Amino acid sequence: MSEFKGIPIAQEPRPAGIGEPRRARSGEKYTTPQGYTAIKDGIKSQATATAAALRKPPWLRAPMASGAEFAAVKAIVREHRLSTVCEEAKCPNIGECWNAGTATIMLMGAVCTRACRFCAVDTGNPRGWLDPEEPENVARSVELMGLKYVVLTSVNRDDLPDGGAAHYAAAIRAIKRRNPGTAVEALTPDFEGVLEDVRTVVDSGLDVFAQNVETVRRLTHPVRDPRAGYAQTIGVLAHAKQHLPAVLTKTSLMLGLGETEQEIRDTMADLRAAAVDILTLGQYLRPTPNHLNVERFVTPDEFDRYREWALSMGFLECVSGPLVRSSYRAEQALARNNAGLDNSRLPAAAAGAR
């Protein structure tokens, strides 16, 4: 089933019981219930993998994932056999978001056709598998949970002729039919740069179109799958805005992968040239030893400074902080207050702490 609110997704084997297979470890191959092979956490185990070299500073301590609302959302996810990007991508904000009764719905399964070196979503080839009931299941779940703002995201599905664009559009239309007052943000794949597929999603009635550039131009291919591209993502965002100017466009940049401050500025300028409206900035955190190392921890003060750069360049908002992710407090992105974040209240530590 899909990732949240009643959507079918391809799930990895559950914890082993009597007569059940052992659950795959990070970096291992496993067979999905649909019969295709995937790699747990997206990147194969490597003999050269090393423990994280940098020690996390105190401002990266996320609240423990617990509480009544967290338990309620978790129960819904388990009851409907769903998968959330909150879990699949090992998001540090899962406790805060689930306690607020929100989660990001991941369409088209939990197995991605790409293998980006920052991402912990499983990798494989679903060979065209889709659940035709997913759009209505998603819409019904949004209705049952009373959501006023929902983020739809997905794995990349390069195995589908349109990259899943029609499936996205069907889910958005279904949500709007059942929940006309709910705002929908679609955080989509790049559809391999096929602009017709971008238009399919933009024309579906969504409110925010998002596609993540992830990192600066120089680091794109050490960080992202070779089929992704810096110019390709910016071209997708630019086309979405040109095609339907009333739709807000949004992207996200991870920091701490080795980028320079000038490269951050240059990326912001490229995004503004494409008329991107909203930018999020967050700290890259290594999900497993098989993924890319963290090169530095960006301080809370630096995140505040980068936000001011973005606002001075004309972004409507820049949500910026160590634990920010692209969908974090998405419904507050236009509040003009850094989505309620106050980085000055995070535990202080010397810049460049190791």
Side-chain angles (χ1 to χ4, degrees):
M1 290 199 172
S2 240
E3 166 190 73
F4 181 62
K5 307 203 185 254
I7 310 172
I9 61 164
Q11 295 179 312
E12 81 267 15
R14 293 300 181 195
I18 297 175
E20 295 180 0
R22 176 181 61 80
R23 180 170 179 161
R25 297 190 180 95
S26 182
E28 287 186 345
K29 289 185 178 181
Y30 69 90
T31 301
T32 72
Q34 289 72 34
Y36 58 85
T37 300
I39 298 170
K40 180 64 179 170
D41 295 337
I43 303 294
K44 292 180 181 179
S45 297
Q46 303 172 45
T48 57
T50 58
L54 301 184
R55 186 181 193 137
K56 286 184 183 178
W59 60 79
L60 283 172
R61 293 174 186 160
M64 181 178 293
S66 63
E69 291 298 331
F70 174 85
V73 173
K74 185 173 182 178
I76 291 171
V77 170
R78 295 294 176 264
E79 178 185 352
H80 293 281
R81 298 174 58 209
L82 309 176
S83 167
T84 64
V85 75
C86 319
E87 294 177 296
E88 299 298 333
K90 304 184 188 302
C91 181
N93 302 313
I94 187 171
E96 178 182 349
C97 294
W98 284 22
N99 272 309
T102 64
T104 298
I105 300 173
M106 191 162 69
L107 302 175
M108 301 189 291
V111 175
C112 186
T113 52
R114 298 187 187 180
C116 296
R117 295 183 64 204
F118 68 88
C119 182
V121 172
D122 297 359
T123 297
N125 182 359
R127 301 198 298 266
W129 175 85
L130 277 176
D131 176 9
E133 297 181 359
E134 180 172 66
E136 289 299 330
N137 286 338
V138 171
R140 184 177 68 252
S141 299
V142 170
E143 181 181 34
L144 290 173
M145 295 190 74
L147 298 183
K148 298 302 180 186
Y149 192 107
V150 61
V151 180
L152 300 179
T153 190
S154 76
V155 292
N156 277 279
R157 289 297 302 271
D158 300 305
D159 60 309
L160 298 172
D162 67 348
H167 197 79
Y168 253 102
I172 294 165
R173 288 193 296 268
I175 290 170
K176 289 292 188 175
R177 279 196 305 271
R178 280 183 175 263
N179 312 272
T182 299
V184 179
E185 175 179 323
L187 173 57
T188 75
D190 59 21
F191 303 115
E192 297 186 278
V194 178
L195 300 183
E196 179 182 357
D197 297 334
V198 176
R199 293 192 293 273
T200 296
V201 177
V202 173
D203 288 338
S204 64
L206 81 176
D207 299 277
V208 180
F209 178 88
Q211 218 289 294
N212 286 343
V213 71
E214 308 293 10
T215 190
V216 300
R217 185 189 296 270
R218 175 178 59 87
L219 296 177
T220 293
H221 285 132
V223 172
R224 301 177 71 187
D225 185 276
R227 286 164 287 187
Y230 180 87
Q232 183 164 282
T233 289
I234 292 178
V236 164
L237 289 162
H239 185 74
K241 192 67 174 178
Q242 291 163 3
H243 180 64
L244 195 59
V247 167
L248 294 173
T249 51
K250 177 179 174 182
T251 197
S252 183
L253 192 64
M254 297 178 294
L255 303 180
L257 284 160
E259 69 288 333
T260 67
E261 290 203 332
Q262 186 58 53
E263 286 175 321
I264 296 172
R265 278 188 177 274
D266 291 345
T267 302
M268 289 180 178
D270 290 342
L271 293 168
R272 281 304 300 138
V276 173
D277 296 304
I278 302 168
L279 175 65
T280 68
L281 302 174
Q283 172 70 53
Y284 166 67
L285 296 175
R286 188 187 197 192
T288 79
N290 299 318
H291 289 77
L292 291 169
N293 286 318
V294 175
E295 297 298 326
R296 73 175 179 119
F297 289 116
V298 181
T299 67
D301 284 347
E302 288 174 312
F303 275 109
D304 283 341
R305 181 156 52 90
Y306 300 155
R307 178 173 185 263
E308 290 305 315
W309 290 358
L311 295 178
S312 71
M313 291 182 182
F315 288 95
L316 294 180
E317 178 58 295
C318 174
V319 181
S320 180
L323 291 176
V324 167
R325 296 296 180 266
S326 54
S327 300
Y328 180 59
R329 299 188 184 183
E331 75 284 357
Q332 302 180 46
L334 291 179
R336 306 298 179 93
N337 66 349
N338 203 26
L341 294 176
D342 185 353
N343 291 326
S344 68
R345 301 185 66 179
L346 294 172
R354 294 294 187 269

